[in-house]
Amino acid sequence: MSGNMNLTIKVWRQKNIQSRGGFETIKLSGISPDMSFLEMLDVMNEQLMKEGKEAFAFDHDCREGICGMCSLVINGLPHGPDNLVTVCQLHMRKYKDGDTIVVEPWRAAAFPVIRDCAVDRSAFDRIIQAGGFVSISTGNAPPANAVLVPKADSERAFDAAACIGCGACVASCKNASAMLFVAAKVSHLSYLPQGKPEKQKRVLAMVEQMDKEGFGNCTNLYECEATCPKGISVEFIAKMNREYLYSSAFHAERVYSAEG
């Protein structure tokens, strides 16, 4: 087939978090521009196995831009050079014959390497477990119009709920901050009536867990928004900060009143 490419792929190989990793250079030929990036990696792994070598480990699942599993830094950019896409939605037509492509894992202390470019993102799960839910039992789902939500609030809640928890925000931030992820999860529920009763408790618990996991602080450089495959706005970070300050002050006042 005409138009197929020859590529040089430099992939990060690391046995586990305790091992010292390094790059392995692999030459590929006959790569179709119509392949997705993950399909290209599948072809690369087939070649490695035919050569009697270990396959390259990387995270993937839905391959439809839904799950956020495909966590790769490609030529220094989380999810690669395309905007508003995950790695599985990135196609090889973005590259040209003879290109060198460098593939690395998400690099953050809170995302330890499992193997090669597969990382452990269970820190995100623990943040959600700390408060990213509505714990009130409401029985069966009510009719759609039983709980009225202002249109502006519902749209903002939908915008925040678009976060797929991939971790690109962490990988792109020089501080490995998870503020955009946590802000999206906090804001999603705080805009909705069902989430308001636990609003103050939620933001305090999730931010506390985020800090325990070892994520860094936000310094407003906006790399997170630029690399987010769902375009989550940094405005949600400002909203979460306001909620956190108010909730902290309210909690401190209650403690002071109780002690007095």
Side-chain angles (χ1 to χ4, degrees), residues 41-53:
L41 293 180
D42 291 337
V43 170
M44 184 186 78
N45 273 341
E46 288 177 7
Q47 176 176 310
L48 288 173
M49 287 186 286
K50 286 178 181 177
E51 295 171 355
K53 298 178 181 178

Side-chain angles (χ1 to χ4, degrees), residues 174-227:
K174 69 174 185 176
N175 306 320
S177 172
M179 290 283 277
L180 190 64
F181 165 76
V182 179
K185 299 305 180 183
V186 166
S187 300
H188 164 215
L189 293 174
S190 69
Y191 275 115
L192 300 176
Q194 297 90 336
K196 291 190 184 299
E198 298 173 294
K199 180 177 178 180
Q200 294 178 0
K201 175 184 175 183
R202 176 182 303 112
V203 67
L204 292 175
M206 293 182 74
V207 170
E208 180 183 1
Q209 187 63 41
M210 174 184 70
D211 292 340
K212 283 182 182 177
E213 297 294 342
F215 293 105
N217 292 320
C218 173
T219 47
N220 296 312
L221 295 179
Y222 300 173
E223 295 101 326
C224 53
E225 180 180 308
T227 58

Side-chain angles (χ1 to χ4, degrees), residues 9-171:
I9 313 296
K10 297 182 70 174
V11 293
W12 183 260
R13 307 303 298 261
Q14 186 172 344
K15 187 175 181 181
N16 51 49
I17 190 61
Q18 289 81 27
S19 303
R20 185 179 179 86
F23 286 104
E24 178 181 349
T25 300
I26 301 164
K27 300 285 187 179
L28 296 181
S29 59
I31 299 298
S32 168
D34 296 325
M35 286 181 180
S36 73
F37 198 90
L38 296 189
E39 288 172 332
M40 180 274 293
L41 293 180
D42 291 337
V43 170
M44 184 186 78
N45 273 341
E46 288 177 7
Q47 176 176 310
L48 288 173
M49 287 186 286
K50 286 178 181 177
E51 295 171 355
K53 298 178 181 178
E54 262 191 30
F56 167 66
F58 61 97
D59 287 320
H60 62 96
D61 192 4
C62 74
R63 300 200 176 203
E64 294 178 346
I66 298 170
C67 71
M69 284 295 292
C70 49
S71 51
L72 296 173
V73 175
I74 303 168
N75 287 348
L77 298 172
H79 290 303
D82 250 350
N83 294 324
L84 303 176
V85 299
T86 52
V87 175
C88 60
Q89 296 171 300
L90 174 67
H91 285 81
M92 298 311 297
R93 65 180 68 99
K94 294 293 293 187
Y95 302 94
K96 60 183 185 297
D97 185 48
D99 275 355
T100 296
I101 304 173
V102 181
V103 183
E104 302 172 74
W106 283 176
R107 295 192 185 275
F111 290 161
V113 171
I114 299 171
R115 190 177 190 89
D116 297 340
C117 285
V119 300
D120 181 357
R121 283 170 287 178
S122 57
F124 274 8
D125 297 330
R126 291 188 290 272
I127 292 172
I128 296 298
Q129 290 162 6
F133 52 85
V134 174
S135 62
I136 300 168
S137 177
T138 57
N140 294 331
N145 60 351
V147 180
L148 299 180
V149 182
K151 188 174 188 302
D153 287 349
S154 66
E155 288 180 347
R156 295 301 284 158
F158 271 117
D159 289 342
C163 171
I164 57 177
C166 66
C169 51
V170 176

